[in-house]
Structures are given as structure tokens and as C-alpha cells.
Amino acid sequence: MAVDYAVIVVYLAGMLAMGWWGMRRARSKSEFLVAGRRLGPWMYSGTMAAIVLGGASTIGGVGLGYRHGLSGAWMVFAIGLGLLALSVFFSARIARLKVYTVSEMLDLRYGGRAGLISGIVMWAYTLMLAVTSTIAYATIFDVLFDLHRTVAIILGGAVVVAYSTLGGMWSITLTDMVQFVVKTIGVLLLLLPIAVVKAGGFAEMKERLPSAYFSPFGIGGETIFTYVLIYTFGMLIGQDIWQRVFTARGDKVARWGGTVAGTYCLVYALAGAVIGTAAKVLYPNLGSADDAFATIVMDELPTGVRGLVLAAALAAVMSTSSGALIACATVANNDIWARLRGAVGRGGAAHGEMDEVRGNRLFILVMGVGVIAVAIALNNVVEALTVAYNLLVGGLLVPILGGLLWRRGTVYGALAAVIVGGVTVVGLMAAYGILANQPIYYGLLASLAAYVIVSLATRPTDEAVLAVWRARLAGEAPEEAGGPTVSGLVHS
């Protein structure tokens, strides 16, 4: 294992070195939070694919393949579909807004007063996403070094917090690009073909497993529908995803770079399911399906290759964890703390760019320590992530897409949608159970009904607000739009 250990240690050291390099570039709020909005197509594609394909997509995707066969690809497939939809239909408009958070977009579209409550919902989602990603370090470091769960979480979390705090989005972008390459080599080019060959090839796999393992819909229509509702729609509105869209150099980069990343996700989804299916042939009686990835890596791969593939799993977890962490800190600072202390609209006048960078850096550090503490205390990862996605989609999908697609939507309709959808989801999770499908089904319907009814019953959004919104969608800078800025609208 000495060679495998060396591969992992070099990888972790490289992540920290990139954090230090990124610190030298992140000298403004724009550089720190959205990499200066100047990523080109290749870097944008790689980093976008890296953030959406985390530990759940890698370890969990292989586990679903072990349990259900090829149809186990549907969870990650739904993520890829969501990224494709975001890139083709919405990313260009989102990039042109030149905001930093989803809540700022809601303020801009509706004329203020929607940002705080939506920010709290989005903060809860990004926090839980960061926590669940951090917990995954325990699995990987347990396989590598036989570390105690708490020590593993602290070790992995400390590396991510360090490079994220140092260089912000620049550090995360650089590390994500490396992580994308490592995942591609480790999972697609090495583990996938080796697993299939070790299992005897597809003919042997078909002979030894039930035919349901090779049905594209074997996992069940209701499960597929739920995956689409939660993950496909979740990709459309998550702060962690939007913050990557904000890094694009222009409309074409956001659209085509995201399309490439979404297509890559579809390939990655199928690869994970095939690896899991091969693991079922090799190890038919594993205690847990989620052990399939670690088991096939440790038992079937040669030294050196094994270290690289484990580094790929670590890369998958780190990319999602760092993206969720900077999203959580950005929302906490810009959407919650700034509003609570009444500083919205005054930060630019009272503080310089470096003060803003230091403030955001401090929030990443504080949120990172909090994430590690919650990850140590939390046991049920699946339930925590389900709560986060249910609140995100049930509370924010309708007002966000409604704001982009329906001119008649109002701020009161948006607030009603967030509150009614969120309360419905929470109530139904209490009644039916956290993992039930009913909360997201009825939560979305209740949110949509509240949005339409309240919007139609209240006065239309002021034409001056809509004029600024249309100008920003057209790509005009705030000062060119001839109207109030996002921060000014909050107090209008």
C-alpha cells in the first residue's frame, strides 16, 4: 500500500498548493467568489462536471448499480439531465445577470423583500450538501488508512476548508479541474474496463445476473420520476450550481461548456452503474451496496492504480464539498448576514475590495468549521440530504423558474410559494417520513398554486423593476440599465 499512500499524499499536497496559488489571484470580491467571471469553455466544463459529480454520484452511483443494475444510473443521469436543461435554456440569462447569489436574482426580478427568506432556505440546503459530502471522507480514509471516523472527517474537511479559504473560487476552480482529470482517468479509463474484465465481460455478467439488472427501467418508474423531480430540478436552482455559472466568461461558454459537462455526467452515470453491476457478479453477498466501490477497488486493482482510483473518489467528494462550502458561505454572508445588519447597498462605499475578500474568507472558515462539527455529530446522511433537496425544490423551484419565465409573477407570490412549499414539505415529511415521495410531489403543487394565486391577486411588479430586470437579462451592466441596482431594490 506504500505506493497508494504516496499517490494520496501527493494529491492532498497538490490541493493545498493550489489553494496557496489561488490566494494570490483572489484580490477582489469578483475574483474570490466567481473567479472574475472569466473561465473559458474547457475549464468551465471540467469544473462544472466536477462539482455535480460528488461522492454520492461516484460511491452511491456504484452502489445503485450493485443493487439495481444498469437502471441504477438514473440518479446520476437525472443530475446530467438537469445540468443540460440549465445550460441550454437558462445559463446564458443567469450569467448575464452579474449577481453572486440566487437570492440576489430574486431581489432583482421581484423588487426586493424576497432575498432573506430564500437565502435561509438556500443556506440550509448548501450547509447539508457540504455536511454530507464531508461525511464521505470517513469512508474513503477508512479504506486507505483505517482511521477513526472523526479523524477522517477532520482530515478531509481541513484540507478542503484550507484551500477554499485561501483562494476562494480560484482555488476551488483549479482543484476541481485537477479533480475532473483524476476522476476521468480513475473511474472511466481504469476502474470501468478493469471491473468489466474481472467480471468476465458483459456476456458473463448477463448470464450470472437476473435480466432485471439489464433493464433500463428496472429501478422503477416512481423512483425515476422522483429522481427527476429532486435532482434534475435541483440542478436548475442550487446556489452551488449557479455560482459556477457566474464564473463563465460569456453566454456561449455557459451554454456550450455546460452542455459538454451535462453530457459527461450521462456517461459517468452509465459507467457507475456498469461498475456496480460488475461488483454484483464478483461479490454477490456484500453487507451494504455502498461498500461495492471500496471492495472492488481494494480487491481487484493493482497497486498504484488502486491509489489513483481512490484519489478519484476523494476528488469526487472534495469537489462537491468545496463547491457547497463556498456557496454556503456566500449565501450566509451576502444574503443573510448583510441583510440582518442592514448593510446591503453600503458595503461598496464603506469597505474596499480587500475588506470584502477578507469578510468572505472569514465566512468560509467559520462555515467550514461548522460543517466539520455537524458532520462529526450527524449519522443519517441520506435523510439529511433528502431534507435539504426537498426544501430546496419544494420551496424555491417555483419562484425562481416563475421569475425567469412568467412576467406576471410578483414578490408576494414568490414569498407565498417559498413559505407554502416549505411548510408543506416539512409537514408531509413529518407525516409520511423523510424518505417518502409525497412531500416533494405535494410540496411542489402547493408552491405552484400559491405562486399563481397570490401573484394574480396582488399588484403586478413595478414596471421600473421589470425594466431593470430586462436590461440585465440583455447583458447590460447595472449602471447601463438606467435604473436601481439589486441592492437598491431591496429597500424599494
Side-chain angles (χ1 to χ4, degrees), residues 28 34 44 63 99 120 179 182 215 236 246 331 356 367 412 421 446-447 450:
S28 69
V34 291
Y44 178 85
V99 294
I120 292 172
Q179 288 158 358
V182 170
S215 168
L236 298 180
F246 300 151
V331 170
E356 290 192 323
M367 290 296 110
Y412 299 106
S447 181

Side-chain angles (χ1 to χ4, degrees), residues 96 251 469-476:
R96 286 196 295 264
D251 297 359
W469 169 254
R470 287 192 295 268
R472 292 287 284 273
L473 282 178
E476 296 180 24

Side-chain angles (χ1 to χ4, degrees), residues 30-327:
S30 176
E31 295 282 354
F32 191 81
L33 294 182
V34 291
R37 305 187 194 275
R38 50 197 175 98
L39 294 190
W42 294 112
M43 186 166 282
Y44 178 85
S45 299
T47 57
M48 182 63 87
I51 188 177
V52 300
L53 295 174
S57 300
T58 303
I59 300 171
V62 171
L64 286 171
Y66 183 89
R67 191 180 296 117
H68 301 287
L70 298 187
S71 66
W74 271 105
M75 183 187 76
V76 184
F77 206 78
I79 292 173
L81 292 177
L83 188 52
L84 284 172
L86 174 71
S87 302
V88 172
F89 298 113
F90 301 109
S91 63
R93 283 184 280 180
I94 292 170
R96 286 196 295 264
L97 292 174
K98 303 297 183 187
V99 294
Y100 291 100
T101 69
V102 174
S103 295
E104 286 181 19
M105 168 265 172
L106 292 174
D107 277 342
L108 183 65
R109 166 60 180 83
Y110 294 112
R113 298 186 293 275
L116 180 59
I117 187 170
S118 63
I120 292 172
V121 174
M122 188 64 75
W123 175 78
Y125 156 73
T126 54
L127 178 70
M128 283 297 100
L129 184 61
V131 165
T132 53
S133 299
T134 303
I135 291 174
Y137 297 131
T139 301
I140 298 170
F141 282 113
D142 178 58
V143 171
L144 283 170
F145 305 118
D146 193 26
L147 292 178
H148 185 271
R149 177 180 184 275
T150 299
V151 177
I153 289 173
I154 292 173
L155 176 60
V159 173
V160 170
V161 172
Y163 72 70
S164 300
T165 301
L166 286 172
M169 187 58 81
W170 267 123
S171 295
I172 292 171
T173 296
L174 293 170
T175 54
D176 277 359
M177 198 63 200
V178 174
Q179 288 158 358
F180 169 75
V181 173
V182 170
K183 279 191 286 192
T184 300
I185 295 173
V187 176
L188 297 185
L189 301 183
L190 293 177
L191 182 57
L192 174 61
I194 290 174
V196 172
V197 170
K198 292 284 187 178
F202 284 104
E204 179 71 14
M205 291 162 63
K206 284 187 176 181
E207 187 174 328
R208 295 182 59 180
L209 295 174
S211 59
Y213 265 72
F214 301 91
S215 168
F217 305 105
I219 199 170
E222 185 176 359
T223 299
I224 294 172
F225 182 65
T226 303
Y227 283 157
V228 170
L229 274 185
I230 293 177
Y231 296 110
T232 300
F233 287 126
M235 288 295 105
L236 298 180
I237 59 175
Q239 169 67 25
D240 52 324
I241 309 302
W242 276 43
Q243 200 157 342
R244 293 311 173 95
V245 176
F246 300 151
T247 67
R249 188 169 59 204
D251 297 359
K252 290 184 178 179
V253 171
R255 183 182 293 112
W256 294 109
T259 300
V260 171
T263 305
Y264 178 89
C265 291
L266 303 183
V267 175
Y268 200 88
L270 185 59
V274 171
I275 293 168
T277 304
K280 183 67 175 178
V281 172
L282 294 168
Y283 312 99
N285 300 311
L286 289 179
S288 170
D290 287 337
D291 293 335
F293 180 88
T295 302
I296 197 169
V297 168
M298 294 302 294
D299 290 356
E300 304 297 338
L301 299 186
T303 300
V305 173
R306 179 170 51 208
L308 183 60
V309 173
L310 287 172
L314 193 59
V317 175
M318 282 187 161
S319 56
T320 299
S321 181
S322 59
L325 176 59
I326 193 171

Side-chain angles (χ1 to χ4, degrees), residues 245-481:
V245 176
F246 300 151
T247 67
R249 188 169 59 204
D251 297 359
K252 290 184 178 179
V253 171
R255 183 182 293 112
W256 294 109
T259 300
V260 171
T263 305
Y264 178 89
C265 291
L266 303 183
V267 175
Y268 200 88
L270 185 59
V274 171
I275 293 168
T277 304
K280 183 67 175 178
V281 172
L282 294 168
Y283 312 99
N285 300 311
L286 289 179
S288 170
D290 287 337
D291 293 335
F293 180 88
T295 302
I296 197 169
V297 168
M298 294 302 294
D299 290 356
E300 304 297 338
L301 299 186
T303 300
V305 173
R306 179 170 51 208
L308 183 60
V309 173
L310 287 172
L314 193 59
V317 175
M318 282 187 161
S319 56
T320 299
S321 181
S322 59
L325 176 59
I326 193 171
C328 178
T330 302
V331 170
N333 189 16
N334 293 272
D335 292 335
I336 300 176
W337 176 243
R339 285 173 167 85
L340 290 177
R341 66 187 179 94
V344 174
R346 298 201 300 272
H351 305 286
E353 288 282 11
M354 289 309 297
D355 290 326
E356 290 192 323
V357 170
R358 280 194 288 268
N360 283 291
R361 184 173 280 136
L362 177 62
F363 264 85
I364 291 180
L365 179 60
V366 171
M367 290 296 110
V369 172
V371 163
I372 292 173
V374 175
I376 292 172
L378 195 64
N379 287 320
N380 199 316
V381 181
V382 176
E383 289 192 358
L385 194 59
T386 301
V387 170
Y389 267 102
N390 281 352
L391 283 173
L392 175 72
V393 176
L396 292 181
L397 178 69
V398 169
I400 292 172
L401 293 190
L404 290 169
L405 300 173
W406 191 39
R407 185 176 182 276
R408 186 61 179 82
T410 69
V411 65
Y412 299 106
L415 287 170
V418 175
I419 294 170
V420 171
V423 170
T424 302
V425 163
V426 171
L428 291 177
M429 283 193 294
Y432 289 97
I434 289 175
L435 300 180
N437 293 327
Q438 289 89 341
I440 191 62
Y441 294 166
Y442 296 119
L444 266 177
L445 289 175
S447 181
L448 178 61
Y451 182 70
V452 173
I453 293 171
V454 175
S455 291
L456 292 176
T458 53
R459 192 175 71 178
T461 304
D462 188 89
E463 184 57 36
V465 173
L466 291 177
V468 174
W469 169 254
R470 287 192 295 268
R472 292 287 284 273
L473 282 178
E476 296 180 24
E479 61 272 14
E480 297 170 339

